[in-house]
C-alpha cells in the first residue's frame, strides 16, 4: 500500500535536499489547536504593512487609473463618474480580502482533508528557509505549476504552517462564482481574474494597477500560475506573459529595488481530477465550478492519493537576471503613472523569465515511480493491456531500467528509499487502481464505468472507456516528459534525418521544437543549448558518440534511442493524422468545431480498424495544439475572430510540414532569428 | 589652509586624549566643542577603531622638477605679473577634493603637477597671460578656490607641454555696486565668504551659499553651474549672473549690455556656465537683494532616515533630548531632521514658518528650535572636515548628488542606498558601509538629492578603486531611476 511511504519520515533528493512530511509532525496534534496557533511571520522591511481596504483605495485613487478613466470616458462618450463606477465594480469583483481568520479556517479544513487524502505532503525545508528570508527583503512572487485545484491553497497552507506571510493568489473568475466557497477563497487571499479579457482596456488597466500595487507595496507575496491554466494533460504549458509583464514593471520603473521570483514545483503521485481531466480531453464538457459540484465531488475524498511533493525553488533576483537585458532609462521620459506598453526589449525579457520559470518548475518536479511506469505501459501494444495482460515482473524490470535512465538524465525521483523495489511497484499499482489492476502476476487496464452507466454499450463507447484510461496514462507519462524531451527530440531527429551531421540534426531538432512548441516548453532562442544538452545527456548514458561535427549512435545505445523515439511516437502519429485530415478535406476553409469533431471521428475509425496505435489523437488538447502549431508555421490562417473560429488552410504547406516530419524532405527552420540578447 | 585635506589648517576633528571627539580651532560655532556621539557613531556605523589610525605621509621631494617654457617665462617676466615654480605652490594647485586626489596626497603620491603658477591681478593681466600661452604653446589651468570635485584641476599625466596654473586669488575685488539696478561688478577670484561679507557691509547679499562658500570662488561657481543652500529664495548661479566677461584664446567674449534677459539666439552665457573652466577666467555682475531679518529653525519629521542625524541628537541637551526621545518617542538613530532656513522680511518669514510648521505637524514632526537650526546649517560646512577625520581611521567616503523628479525621489533614495550596500558587499568591503542621503535643494518639478557614502577600508588592497567601482554602480543606478548625473558638482569633462 501507499502506506509504505509513510514509514519514512524523510525522502532525500539526489542533491541532498531534505524533504519533511508536514502531515507527519503535526498528525498527532489537535487540528483546532493547529489552526489557532500563533502566526507571526517576520515583517516585510520594504514598506509599512497595509490592509486590503487600503490597498483597494490606493488602486482606485492611483493617477494611472484616473488617467485611464478619463481616456475611456472620452472614447465611450460617457461621464467620468460612470466609468469610475465600472472600475469600482471591477475592483469589487476582483479584489481579495485576505484575513487571518479565514486562513485559520482554511488551515483547519485543509488539515482535515489533507490527512484523509494524502499519505504525506513532503516539503523541502531549505527552500522554505530561503523563502522566509526572502519575504523580508523584497516583494516575492510565488510561481507554482498548476496541475490540480489543490494547488490553490496548498502553498498558503504550508506558509501558514511555517510562519511565512501568506500570499494573495491570482485565480480564475469561475471560482469566485461558487457560493460561499468563492468568498472563503477571497478571504483566504484569492483575487479573481476574468478569462479572455481581450481588448477591454478598462479591465486591463484595473488589473494591472492592482497587481502592480501589490508588488509595489509588498502587501503580501503574490502567487500566480505562470502557465495561466490548470494543465489538463499534466504537462507544462507555455507561459502566459501578461501577468509576468505587470509584475516586472515596478522593478523596471525603479519603484522597488528588486523582485524575488520563486518557482515552486508541486508533484502529485495521483491527481484528484485524473478521470475528470481525461473525459474533458475526450470532449465531455467540464462541469462548471460550483459549490454543489464540489460537494458531489466529495466522493473523491474517500480515495487515497498517495504523496504530494512541494518543492520550493531557490529565490531568483529579477535585478540580477535582467542585468544587461533591459535599459531602465527608457522609463525616465514618461511620467511613471501613465500607461506605457512594455517595449520589445521588456517583453522579450518577460517572456524569457517566464519560460525560464517553467523550466525551473520542471527541474524541481519530482518524478514518481508511476510516471515512469506510465511511459512503459504506453509503449506496450494496446491489446496486451486490454486483453492478455502485461507480465508484472516484466513491467518491474523495464521500470527499473527507466529509473536508471531518468537518473542519468538528472531527474529528481520520488522513489522511496530503503523500500524493496517490488514493494514500491506493487504499492504504486495499488494506488492507481483507477487506471491499472494486477491479477495473477499480470497487469491490465482498468476501464472506467462512468460512461457505461449513461449510454448503452456500443463498440465506440467501449473504445471511449479504453481511451479514457489511455489518456490518463498519457497524462501521467507527461509528468516526466520534461526529463526525456530533449534527448528524445534528438533521437527523433536522428531517425527522421537518417544523418549523422550535427548541423543537419540541429536544423531538424529546431524544426521539431518549433512544430511541438505547444506540447513542450522551451526557452525561446536557446535551441542550440537545448541541442547541446541533448547531445551531452545521450553521450553520458553512452547512447551516442558525439564529435565536433557528428552525432552517431553507438551499439549499446539502441535500447535508449528506440525507447525515446517510441516515447514521442504518439505525438508524431497524432500530428500526421491531423495533417492528413486537413489535406483530405474538400474545403479550404473550416471551423474549429468541425475540425475537432472530424478528427475525432477519423481517429476513432482508424483506432478501431487498427491503423492508428495511439489514443492521444482523440485529445482535444492535442488537436488544439496542432492548430496553433500550424498557425505559427503559417500553414493555416485564422480568418475570423468570433465564436466560430474559422481557419483557411494552405494544403501544400500542411503537406510539406507532414513530409518534413516524416523525413521525406529535409526540414527547414521557419522561425525568425532569435534575439541575440536572450 | 591644509594641503592634503579640507579647509583651514587649525580646524579639524580629532579624538583628544580622553578619546572624545573634538573640533579644533576658533572659526566655527562648533570649534572647541566636544562632540559626545561622534566616537560611538564612527565605531557603530563603520566598525572604525580608534586604535587603527593611518598616518598621512609628507613627501614634497617626490614632486617632479618643473618643465618650463623659457620663452613664455621671459615674456611673462616683462609683464610684471607675479609667478612661482616652488614645489609647494605647484602641489597645492594640482588637485581638487575628489577622494582619489586626497587619498593619493595622504599616501604621499604626487603625480603630474603644474610647472608654474601665475597670479594675475586684473582682467587685462588675464588677457595678456592667455595671449602669451597661445603664442608659446603653453597649457593653462584656471584655479580659483581649489574645491573642485570633478577632477578638473588634475594635470593630464601625458601632457608634454608646460602646464601653468592661473590662480585668480588676487582678483578678489568688488569693482562697483549699482544701487539702482541692484547689481555689482565683481572679479572672478573672490571667495564666497569674502564676497558675502563685503556686500553685507553695504547692506546687500547675493544669497549664494554653497557648502564650500568659505573657499570656493565666484569664477568657480560660474564654471560649474553652482547651486547653494538658499537657492529657493535667491536662485542658482545662472539666475544670479547678469553679465560675464570671459577671456578665451580667440579673444574676449561678453554681451553688449546688462539687460536682464535677451532673445537674440542661444544665450552665450549658457556656453560659459558649466563649462568646467575649460575656457578661462570670468568676471561678472550679480543681483543684490535686501538683506533684512534672518531667522532659522529646525524640524524633525518622521522617523525615517538615520545616519548623520544621530550626531545631531548628540548636541541636544539633557531635557530636550529627553523630550524628543522619550516623550515624543523619536529614536535618535532613526529620526529625520530637516534644517530649514527662513530669510527675508519679517512678515514673510513668519508666514513661511507657519506654513512649514503646519505641514510638519500634520506628519508628526516638531520644531526643534533656532539653536539647533543654526547648528544644523553650520554642520553642512564642517561635513567636509569629517571626511578627513574618517581618513585618519581607515574610513573613506564622498558625497555625490543628483536631481530627480519628485515622484522618483523616494524610489531613487531607496534603490541607490540599497545598491551601494549590495555593491560594497560584492566588492569585498569587510564592514557595513554608511549609505545615506538627504534632500538639499527643491524645485517645483523635482529635488536635488545628496548621497553620502563611506566605508571602512581595512582589509582592502585598493580602497580607492573599490570606492570608484561602487560609486560608478551607484551612479548607474541613479541614471536608471531617472536621476541626472549631477545637480551642481559637475562632471568630469576631460
Amino acid at each position: 500500500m501507499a502506506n509504505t511511504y509513510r514509514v519514512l519520515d524523510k525522502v532525500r533528493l539526489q542533491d541532498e535536499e531534505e524533504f519533511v512530511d508536514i502531515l507527519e509532525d503535526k498528525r498527532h496534534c489537535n487540528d483546532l489547536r493547529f489552526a489557532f496557533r500563533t502566526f507571526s511571520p517576520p515583517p516585510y522591511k520594504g514598506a509599512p504593512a497595509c490592509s486590503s481596504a487600503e490597498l483597494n483605495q490606493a488602486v482606485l485613487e492611483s493617477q494611472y487609473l484616473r488617467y485611464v478613466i478619463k481616456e475611456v470616458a472620452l472614447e465611450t462618450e460617457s461621464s467620468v463618474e460612470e466609468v469610475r463606477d465600472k472600475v469600482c465594480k471591477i475592483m469589487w469583483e476582483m479584489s481579495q480580502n485576505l484575513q487571518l481568520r479565514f486562513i485559520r479556517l482554511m488551515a483547519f479544513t485543509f488539515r482535515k482533508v489533507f490527512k484523509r487524502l494524502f499519505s504525506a505532503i513532503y516539503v523541502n525545508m531549505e527552500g522554505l528557509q530561503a523563502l522566509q528570508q526572502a519575504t523580508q527583503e523584497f516583494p516575492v512572487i510565488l510561481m507554482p505549476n498548476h496541475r490540480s485545484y489543490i494547488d490553490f491553497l496548498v502553498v498558503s497552507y504550508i506558509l501558514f504552517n511555517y510562519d511565512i506571510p501568506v500570499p494573495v493568489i491570482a485565480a480564475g473568475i469561475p471560482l469566485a462564482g461558487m457560493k460561499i466557497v468563492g468568498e472563503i477563497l477571497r478571504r483566504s487571499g484569492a483575487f479573481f481574474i476574468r478569462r479572455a479579457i481581450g481588448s477591454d482596456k478598462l479591465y486591463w488597466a484595473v488589473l494591472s494597477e492592482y497587481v502592480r500595487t501589490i508588488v509595489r507595496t509588498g502587501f503580501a507575496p503574490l502567487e500566480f500560475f505562470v502557465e495561466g491554466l490548470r494543465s489538463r494533460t499534466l504537462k507544462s504549458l507555455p507561459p502566459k506573459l501578461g501577468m509576468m509583464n505587470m509584475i516586472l514593471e515596478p522593478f523596471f520603473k525603479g519603484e522597488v529595488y528588486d523582485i524575488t521570483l520563486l518557482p515552486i514545483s508541486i508533484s502529485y503521485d495521483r491527481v484528484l481530477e485524473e478521470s475528470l481531466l481525461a473525459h474533458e480531453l475526450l470532449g465531455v464538457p467540464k462541469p462548471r465550478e460550483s459549490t454543489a459540484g464540489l460537494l458531489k465531488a466529495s466522493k473523491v475524498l474517500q480515495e487515497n492519493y498517495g504523496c504530494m511533493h512541494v518543492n520550493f525553488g531557490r529565490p531568483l533576483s529579477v535585478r540580477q537576471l535582467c542585468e544587461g537585458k533591459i535599459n531602465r532609462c527608457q522609463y525616465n521620459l514618461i511620467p511613471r503613472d501613465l500607461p506605457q506598453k512594455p517595449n520589445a526589449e521588456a517583453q522579450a525579457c518577460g517572456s524569457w523569465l517566464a519560460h525560464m520559470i517553467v523550466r525551473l518548475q520542471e527541474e524541481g518536479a519530482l518524478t514518481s515511480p508511476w510516471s515512469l511506469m506510465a511511459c512503459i505501459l504506453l509503449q506496450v501494444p494496446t491489446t496486451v493491456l486490454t486483453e492478455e495482460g502485461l507480465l508484472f515482473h516484466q513491467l518491474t524490470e523495464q521500470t527499473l531500467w527507466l529509473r536508471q535512465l531518468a537518473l542519468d538524465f538528472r531527474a529528481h525521483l520520488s522513489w522511496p528509499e530503503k523500500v524493496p523495489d517490488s514493494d514500491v511497484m506493487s504499492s504504486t499499482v495499488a494506488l492507481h487502481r483507477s487506471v491499472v489492476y494486477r491479477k495473477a502476476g499480470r497487469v491490465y487496464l482498468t476501464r472506467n464505468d462512468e460512461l457505461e452507466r449513461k449510454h448503452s454499450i456500443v463498440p465506440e463507447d467501449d473504445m471511449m472507456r479504453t481511451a479514457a484510461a489511455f489518456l490518463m496514462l498519457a497524462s501521467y507519462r507527461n509528468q516526466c516528459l520534461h526529463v526525456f524531451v530533449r534527448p528524445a527530440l534528438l533521437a527523433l531527429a536522428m531517425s527522421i534525418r537518417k544523418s549523422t551531421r550535427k548541423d543537419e540534426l540541429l536544423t531538424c531538432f529546431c524544426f521539431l521544437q518549433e512544430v511541438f512548441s505547444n506540447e513542450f516548453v522551451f526557452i525561446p532562442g536557446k535551441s542550440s543549448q537545448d541541442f547541446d544538452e541533448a547531445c551531452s545527456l545521450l553521450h553520458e548514458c553512452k547512447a551516442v558518440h558525439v564529435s565536433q561535427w557528428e552525432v552517431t549512435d553507438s551499439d549499446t545505445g539502441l535500447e535508449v534511442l528506440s525507447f525515446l523515439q517510441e516515447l514521442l511516437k504518439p505525438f508524431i502519429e497524432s500530428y500526421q493524422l491531423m495533417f492528413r485530415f486537413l489535406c483530405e478535406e474538400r474545403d479550404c476553409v473550416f471551423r474549429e468545431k468541425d475540425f475537432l469533431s472530424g478528427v475525432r471521428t477519423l481517429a476513432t475509425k482508424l483506432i478501431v480498424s487498427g491503423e492508428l496505435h495511439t489514443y492521444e489523437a482523440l485529445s482535444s488538447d492535442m488537436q488544439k495544439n496542432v492548430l496553433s502549431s500550424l498557425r505559427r508555421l503559417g500553414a493555416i490562417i485564422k480568418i475570423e475572430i468570433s465564436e466560430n473560429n474559422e481557419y483557411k488552410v494552405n494544403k501544400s504547406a500542411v503537406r510539406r510540414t507532414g513530409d518534413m516530419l516524416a523525413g521525406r524532405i529535409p526540414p527547414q527552420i521557419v522561425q525568425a532569428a532569435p534575439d541575440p540578447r536572450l | 589652509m591644509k594641503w592634503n585635506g579640507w579647509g583651514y589648517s587649525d580646524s579639524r576633528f580629532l579624538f583628544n586624549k580622553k578619546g572624545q571627539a573634538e573640533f579644533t580651532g576658533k572659526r566655527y560655532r562648533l570649534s572647541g566643542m566636544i562632540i559626545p556621539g561622534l566616537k560611538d557613531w564612527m565605531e557603530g556605523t563603520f566598525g572604525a577603531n580608534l586604535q587603527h589610525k593611518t598616518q598621512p605621509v609628507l613627501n614634497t621631494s617626490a614632486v617632479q622638477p618643473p618643465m618650463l617654457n623659457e620663452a613664455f617665462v621671459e615674456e611673462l617676466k616683462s609683464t610684471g605679473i607675479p609667478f612661482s615654480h616652488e614645489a609647494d605652490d605647484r602641489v597645492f594647485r594640482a588637485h581638487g577634493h575628489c577622494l582619489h586626489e586626497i587619498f593619493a596626497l595622504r599616501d604621499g603620491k604626487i603625480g603630474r603637477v603644474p610647472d608654474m603658477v601665475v597670479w594675475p591681478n586684473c582682467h587685462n593681466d588675464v588677457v595678456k597671460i592667455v595671449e602669451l600661452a597661445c603664442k608659446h604653446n603653453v597649457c593653462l589651468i584656471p584655479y580659483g578656490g581649489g574645491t573642485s570635485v570633478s577632477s578638473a584641476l588634475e594635470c593630464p599625466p601625458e601632457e608634454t607641454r608646460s602646464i601653468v596654473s592661473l590662480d585668480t586669488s588676487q582678483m578678489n575685488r568688488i569693482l562697483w555696486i549699482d544701487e539702482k539696478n541692484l547689481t555689482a561688478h565683481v572679479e572672478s577670484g573672490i571667495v564666497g565668504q569674502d564676497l558675502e561679507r563685503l556686500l553685507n557691509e553695504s547692506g546687500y547679499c547675493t544669497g549664494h551659499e554653497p557648502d564650500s562658500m568659505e573657499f570656493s570662488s565666484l569664477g568657480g561657481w560660474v564654471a560649474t553651474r553652482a547651486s547653494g543652500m538658499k537657492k529657493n529664495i535667491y536662485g542658482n548661479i545662472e539666475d544670479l549672473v547678469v553679465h560675464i566677461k570671459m577671456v578665451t584664446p580667440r579673444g574676449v567674449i561678453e554681451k553688449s549690455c546688462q539687460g536682464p534677459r535677451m532673445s537674440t539666439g542661444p544665450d552665450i552665457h549658457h556656453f560659459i556656465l558649466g563649462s568646467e573652466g575649460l575656457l578661462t577666467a570670468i568676471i561678472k555682475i550679480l543681483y543684490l537683494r535686501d538683506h533684512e531679518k534672518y531667522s532659522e529653525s529646525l524640524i524633525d519629521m518622521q522617523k525615517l532616515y538615520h545616519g548623520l542625524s544621530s550626531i545631531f541628537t548628540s548636541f541636544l541637551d539633557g531635557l530636550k533630548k529627553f523630550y524628543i526621545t522619550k516623550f515624543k518617542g523619536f529614536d535618535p538613530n532613526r529620526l529625520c531632521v530637516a534644517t530649514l532656513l527662513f530669510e527675508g522680511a519679517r512678515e514673510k518669514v513668519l508666514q513661511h514658518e507657519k506654513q512649514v510648521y503646519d505641514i510638519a505637524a500634520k506628519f508628526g514632526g516638531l520644531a526643534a528650535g533656532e539653536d539647533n537650526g543654526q547648528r544644523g546649517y553650520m554642520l553642512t560646512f564642517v561635513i567636509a572636515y569629517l571626511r578627513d577625520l574618517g581618513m585618519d581611521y581607515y574610513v573613506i567616503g564622498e558625497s555625490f548628488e543628483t536631481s530627480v523628479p519628485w515622484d522618483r525621489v523616494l524610489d531613487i533614495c531607496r534603490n541607490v542606498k540599497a545598491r551601494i550596500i549590495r555593491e560594497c558587499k560584492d566588492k569585498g568591503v569587510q564592514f557595513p558601509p554608511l549609505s545615506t542621503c538627504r534632500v538639499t535643494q527643491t524645485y517645483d518639478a523635482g529635488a536635488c538629492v545628496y548621497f553620502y557614502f563611506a566605508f571602512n577600508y581595512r582589509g582592502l588592497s585598493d580602497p580607492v578603486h573599490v570606492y570608484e567601482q561602487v560609486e560608478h554602480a551607484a551612479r548607474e543606478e541613479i541614471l536608471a531611476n531617472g536621476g541626472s548625473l549631477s545637480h551642481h558638482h559637475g562632471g568630469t569633462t576631460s
Side-chain angles (χ1 to χ4, degrees), chain A residues 9 21 35 52 55 110 128 134 137 167 189 201 284 298 369 426 435 442 449 453 494 498 516 543 575 590 603 672:
Chain A
D9 267 337
D21 177 8
S52 298
L55 181 78
F110 266 46
L128 276 178
E137 304 279 330
K201 185 173 167 182
V284 180
S298 59
S426 43
V435 185
R442 283 173 186 272
D449 55 358
R453 263 187 278 134
M494 289 167 76
K498 307 266 182 305
F516 292 127
Y575 271 57
F590 66 93

Side-chain angles (χ1 to χ4, degrees), chain A residues 8-20 122 124 126 309 366 407 411-418:
Chain A
L8 301 157
D9 267 337
K10 288 153 192 174
V11 172
R12 270 181 179 277
L13 267 188
Q14 263 58 49
D15 50 2
E16 295 299 303
E17 189 112 344
E18 197 176 59
F19 278 77
V20 175
Y122 289 109
N124 61 329
E126 280 170 64
H309 284 83
L366 275 86
L407 287 175
H412 297 310
L413 297 187
S414 56
W415 197 289
E417 279 178 340
K418 295 178 203 150

Side-chain angles (χ1 to χ4, degrees), chain A residues 254-255 319 328 332 336, chain B residues 407-408 411 414-415 477 479:
Chain A
E255 292 167 321
R319 177 176 274 267
R328 288 186 284 149
N332 291 345
R336 291 194 299 179
Chain B
D407 68 327
R408 291 165 206 257
D411 290 330
R414 180 192 56 239
N415 291 352
E477 192 62 33
L479 294 180

Side-chain angles (χ1 to χ4, degrees), chain B residues 225-467:
Chain B
R225 279 179 78 81
S227 172
M229 290 176 281
K230 296 182 183 175
K231 80 121 201 91
N232 276 16
I233 297 188
Y234 301 98
N236 288 321
I237 194 72
E238 65 270 23
D239 307 311
L240 296 166
V241 170
V242 176
H243 188 267
I244 301 172
K245 187 147 83 176
M246 179 172 75
V247 183
T248 78
R250 310 190 63 176
V252 174
I253 296 177
E254 63 178 321
K255 287 185 183 175
S256 62
C257 68
Q258 292 177 15
R261 184 177 189 271
M262 48 211 276
S263 172
T264 49
D267 192 332
I268 191 70
H269 284 182
H270 291 174
F271 292 99
I272 299 166
L273 283 154
S275 63
E276 296 285 340
L278 287 177
L279 301 169
T280 48
I282 296 154
I283 298 179
K284 55 129 154 241
I285 299 170
L286 294 175
Y287 261 126
L288 293 177
R289 297 279 172 98
D290 286 329
H291 180 234
E292 265 190 30
K293 164 162 189 312
Y294 144 91
S295 139
E296 266 179 40
S297 198
L298 180 142
I299 294 180
D300 341 346
M301 303 273 264
Q302 291 276 325
K303 309 141 213 179
L304 273 175
Y305 302 104
H306 59 101
L308 291 171
S309 62
S310 59
I311 301 184
F312 157 77
T313 43
S314 68
F315 292 132
L316 293 174
D317 37 25
L319 197 62
K320 197 164 255 162
K321 193 168 184 171
F322 178 81
Y323 174 70
I324 286 180
T325 58
K326 296 290 177 332
F327 189 72
K328 281 284 181 180
F330 287 96
D331 174 354
N333 291 313
R334 293 183 68 80
L335 100 168
C336 175
V337 180
T339 301
L340 299 168
L341 181 129
F342 300 96
E343 198 165 304
R346 187 176 166 76
E347 316 82 75
K348 239 189 192 154
V349 166
L350 289 177
Q351 190 194 342
H352 273 162
E353 265 186 316
K354 187 177 167 350
Q355 277 175 338
V356 173
Y357 292 164
D358 285 351
I359 296 172
K362 215 160 113 189
F363 295 97
L366 58 97
E370 181 167 344
D371 264 11
N372 288 312
Q374 303 237 358
R375 283 202 200 98
Y377 194 73
M378 180 262 327
L379 202 61
T380 58
F381 293 112
V382 301
I383 278 180
Y385 288 100
L386 267 178
R387 185 173 80 178
D388 290 336
L389 174 75
M391 281 180 152
D392 288 343
Y393 296 97
Y394 289 93
V395 173
I396 53 174
E398 180 115 83
S399 62
F400 44 92
E401 30 66 283
T402 180
S403 73
V404 62
W406 276 119
D407 68 327
R408 291 165 206 257
V409 169
L410 284 177
D411 290 330
I412 211 172
C413 292
R414 180 192 56 239
N415 291 352
V416 172
K417 286 194 288 189
R419 178 81 182 259
I420 287 172
I421 291 170
R422 181 70 55 100
E423 292 284 336
C424 279
K425 209 169 160 192
D426 290 352
K427 301 282 182 302
V429 175
Q430 313 276 317
F431 302 87
L434 167 77
S435 173
T436 184
C437 63
R438 63 179 178 134
V439 168
T440 57
Q441 269 99 333
T442 61
Y443 297 83
D444 289 348
C448 165
V449 182
Y450 249 79
F451 290 96
Y452 296 92
F453 155 47
F455 62 88
N456 184 332
Y457 67 84
R458 264 186 291 150
L460 294 180
S461 60
D462 191 350
V464 173
H465 182 63
V466 170
Y467 170 81

Side-chain angles (χ1 to χ4, degrees), chain A residues 223-262:
Chain A
E223 178 180 336
F224 87 103
F225 302 106
V226 71
E227 296 163 298
L229 294 167
R230 194 160 46 93
S231 168
R232 267 59 171 170
T233 55
L234 305 188
K235 219 165 30 185
S236 305
L237 301 178
K240 298 270 185 293
L241 306 177
M243 190 78 154
M244 193 75 213
N245 288 329
M246 289 175 206
I247 283 165
L248 294 176
E249 207 181 287
F251 167 70
F252 290 157
K253 286 186 170 177
E255 292 167 321
V256 291
Y257 180 74
D258 199 353
I259 293 174
T260 305
L261 303 182
L262 195 108

